[in-house]
């Protein structure tokens, strides 16, 4: 495999909104639970799509690793928090797939072969996003594995007046996503 290098300008932090009919919401790393009759978010290591957002959607850092030989970016997607620079579990922050295809958070960054691709619709076909994004931009996309397995939703569960579905890479409904770009480059800690 060719050597890939970190690209500061192609790295970004974003909310990931889901626009697939029936699964409108946001991607998160949590489950939903009832707390005192109210739907609440319970931190977890597995990725979900959910209708419920507490305060604001979950943030993800797309750390870009660019393959110059192919002219293609790949991403080490990480859980991110404004308060700490990492989310609720600082050791488990790198998104990777389990042996049965469920994306979850792990302590170690994925191997190059397990990095993620962001693909966008270009001239009627899906292709790797090669443009550099800007703060405030919304990028209509899909997230895939390097071998082109698209993030999907399956196993929807209702909790109170909300719902969440597990994210997987096979056997579900393919997810159309909108990446809402918040910051460019390395992770930035909010000092407010």
């Amino acid at each position: 495999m060719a050597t890939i290098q970190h690209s500061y300008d192609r790295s970004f932090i974003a909310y990931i909104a889901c626009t697939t009919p029936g699964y409108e919401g946001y991607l998160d790393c949590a489950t939903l639970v009832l707390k005192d009759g109210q739907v609440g978010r319970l931190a977890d290591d597995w990725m979900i799509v959910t209708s419920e957002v507490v305060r604001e959607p979950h943030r993800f850092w797309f750390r870009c690793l660019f393959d110059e030989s192919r002219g293609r970016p790949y991403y080490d997607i990480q859980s991110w928090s404004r308060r700490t620079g990492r989310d609720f579990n600082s050791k488990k922050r790198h998104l990777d797939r389990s042996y049965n295809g469920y994306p979850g958070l792990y302590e170690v960054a994925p191997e190059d072969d397990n990095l993620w691709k962001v693909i966008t619709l270009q001239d009627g076909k899906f292709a790797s996003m090669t443009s550099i994004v800007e703060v405030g931009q919304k990028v209509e996309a899909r997230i895939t594995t390097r071998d082109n397995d698209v993030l999907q939703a399956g196993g929807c569960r209702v909790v109170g007046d909300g719902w969440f579905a597990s994210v997987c890479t096979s056997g579900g409904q393919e997810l159309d996503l909108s990446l809402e770009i918040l910051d460019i480059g390395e992770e930035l800690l909010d000092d407010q």
Side-chain angles (χ1 to χ4, degrees):
M1 165 166 248
T3 304
I4 58 178
Q5 299 294 321
H6 175 250
S7 173
Y8 177 90
D9 293 338
R10 294 178 184 274
S11 299
F12 58 91
I13 296 167
Y15 298 138
I16 307 173
C18 181
T19 59
T20 302
Y23 292 98
E24 294 93 343
Y26 283 87
L27 270 57
D28 197 354
C29 293
T31 57
L32 298 184
V33 295
L34 282 177
K35 295 179 182 177
D36 301 322
Q38 299 292 316
V39 177
R41 176 183 179 268
L42 180 64
D44 193 22
D45 292 334
W46 299 106
M47 181 176 266
I48 64 166
V49 59
T50 181
S51 63
E52 294 297 309
V53 175
V54 180
R55 286 185 228 101
E56 65 178 323
H58 190 83
R59 292 169 183 243
F60 291 92
W61 182 32
F62 288 71
R63 182 175 183 266
C64 181
L65 298 161
F66 198 79
D67 183 341
E68 289 289 344
S69 68
R70 300 186 77 191
R72 184 174 290 168
Y74 298 100
Y75 297 91
D76 170 13
I77 300 174
Q78 298 181 37
S79 177
W80 192 89
S81 165
R82 289 181 76 175
R83 187 178 68 245
T84 64
R86 300 285 182 238
D87 198 42
F88 48 84
N89 187 339
S90 63
K91 290 185 179 180
K92 291 187 176 183
R93 65 180 188 263
H94 300 275
L95 191 67
D96 202 348
R97 296 193 274 186
S98 67
Y99 68 92
N100 57 357
Y102 286 88
L105 299 178
Y106 293 85
E107 287 183 40
V108 179
E111 298 290 325
D112 289 352
D113 288 343
N114 289 342
L115 293 171
W116 301 90
K117 295 190 300 186
V118 174
I119 59 172
T120 58
L121 198 57
Q122 302 168 28
D123 299 323
K125 306 186 309 187
F126 280 105
S128 287
M129 178 180 75
T130 55
S131 60
I132 295 176
V133 297
E134 297 176 3
V135 172
Q137 185 178 0
K138 290 187 179 182
V139 178
E140 305 308 313
R142 288 187 172 171
I143 297 174
T144 72
T145 63
R146 287 205 48 180
D147 51 357
N148 299 317
D149 293 332
V150 178
L151 286 187
Q152 303 174 18
C156 193
R157 288 165 273 195
V158 174
V159 177
D161 57 358
W163 59 266
F164 72 98
S166 297
V167 173
C168 53
T169 55
S170 66
Q173 171 69 44
E174 289 185 351
L175 296 179
D176 292 319
L177 305 170
S178 177
L179 307 180
E180 301 173 7
I181 311 302
L182 304 170
D183 288 300
I184 303 298
E186 298 293 342
E187 64 183 78
L188 303 172
L189 296 178
D190 184 5
D191 58 2
Q192 297 177 353

